[in-house]
Amino acid sequence: GALVYQYPRRTICKSGTSMRMECQAVGFQATSVAWYRQSPQKTFELIALSTVNSAIKYEQNFTQEKFPISHPNLSFSSMTVLNAYLEDRGLYLCGARVMGFQNTLYFGAGTRLSVL
Amino acid sequence: SQLAEENPWALSVHEGESVTVNCSYKTSITALQWYRQKSGEGPAQLILIRSNEREKRNGRLRATLDTSSQSSSLSITATRCEDTAVYFCADNTNTGKLTFGDGTVLTVKP
């Protein structure tokens, strides 16, 4: 099956600092990557959708200035949370789409961000 | 607002019992998906049911889709403790976005 690894699994940062998280597709090529944030109440917010050879599309309330994303190849994506504050806490999930299975997202276990 | 909503918010059953989670959605969809998220893990797809399908099965799982009432259900038969998880429905739209509901917390007790 398709495997997606996210690193780190957990991170704590001081308010106002930044942290970078990574998403690695193992054994397949991800035609697109969707970054979500899951709140402690389990609700999902789509941050952005990154498709190979296309511009990254950010959802309302999320900007490139705050959540810059890098998607250099078909197996790797990274996202940085800049100037993190309490409201940025949550589980950041990376979901990858496999060529030929465009409707399905294969998720990693997420990066849990805590902000002090 | 969430485009897909599950109900009930939480369920508790004993092993071996059957359980059904419902989902309603508000927009035109190309497909409806059910995901399961166990503690400490990311969501994993269980079933994808397309807008022209009415029922889909995957082992002990059965999903239905009613486009006229914009609703779907996921039934699990012969539940096991390892079915304990949060169950989400997610709708595919023509934009390619996948929008998740708020989830139903299912607890299966021994």
Side-chain angles (χ1 to χ4, degrees):
Chain A
L3 293 177
V4 176
Y5 286 107
Q6 289 189 249
Y7 178 83
R9 288 294 303 272
R10 293 179 179 271
T11 186
I12 302 173
C13 67
K14 291 179 64 175
S15 183
T17 63
S18 303
M19 69 83 52
R20 180 173 177 265
M21 55 192 75
E22 301 180 349
C23 175
Q24 179 81 45
V26 180
F28 70 101
Q29 293 184 329
T31 55
S32 64
V33 170
W35 285 94
Y36 287 84
R37 179 170 68 196
Q38 187 176 31
S39 71
Q41 293 74 34
K42 303 296 184 186
T43 56
F44 288 87
E45 295 176 281
L46 176 62
I47 298 171
L49 183 63
S50 177
T51 304
V52 174
N53 298 326
S54 296
I56 298 171
K57 295 180 181 178
Y58 285 84
E59 290 295 295
Q60 195 173 8
N61 300 325
F62 295 96
T63 65
Q64 183 180 8
E65 291 70 32
K66 172 72 174 178
F67 299 94
I69 291 171
S70 172
H71 194 174
N73 57 57
L74 289 173
S75 63
F76 182 83
S77 178
S78 67
M79 184 175 74
T80 301
V81 180
L82 295 174
N83 298 319
Y85 289 98
L86 283 176
E87 58 264 29
D88 296 318
R89 292 173 302 173
L91 180 66
Y92 287 82
L93 291 160
C94 161
R97 281 196 170 91
V98 179
M99 189 176 296
F101 297 90
Q102 295 303 307
N103 288 317
T104 300
L105 283 177
Y106 294 92
F107 285 92
T111 293
R112 186 167 298 283
L113 172 63
S114 299
V115 181
L116 301 178
Chain B
S1 63
Q2 295 291 331
L3 294 183
E5 297 179 352
E6 301 87 350
N7 69 80
W9 182 80
L11 282 170
S12 179
V13 298
H14 288 96
E15 265 195 315
E17 295 178 340
S18 298
V19 67
T20 297
V21 179
N22 299 298
C23 166
S24 60
Y25 58 92
K26 300 177 183 177
T27 60
S28 177
I29 61 170
T30 57
L32 194 290
Q33 304 185 43
W34 284 94
Y35 282 77
R36 175 174 65 192
Q37 185 177 23
K38 295 186 176 183
S39 179
E41 300 179 6
Q45 189 197 64
L46 298 174
I47 289 182
L48 182 153
I49 183 165
R50 300 188 186 281
S51 58
N52 61 352
E53 297 176 311
R54 292 297 169 259
E55 180 181 295
K56 201 78 168 282
R57 291 177 185 268
N58 179 9
R60 295 182 293 113
L61 307 176
R62 172 177 172 262
T64 66
L65 180 65
D66 184 341
T67 53
S68 62
S69 63
Q70 295 188 310
S71 64
S72 175
S73 70
L74 176 71
S75 298
I76 308 173
T77 57
T79 54
R80 305 167 181 167
C81 286
E82 52 262 39
D83 293 328
T84 294
V86 184
Y87 289 79
F88 297 92
C89 63
D91 52 29
N92 282 99
T93 66
N94 287 329
T95 63
K97 285 171 32 176
L98 192 61
T99 303
F100 287 84
D102 293 339
T104 291
V105 179
L106 173 64
T107 303
V108 181
K109 301 176 181 178

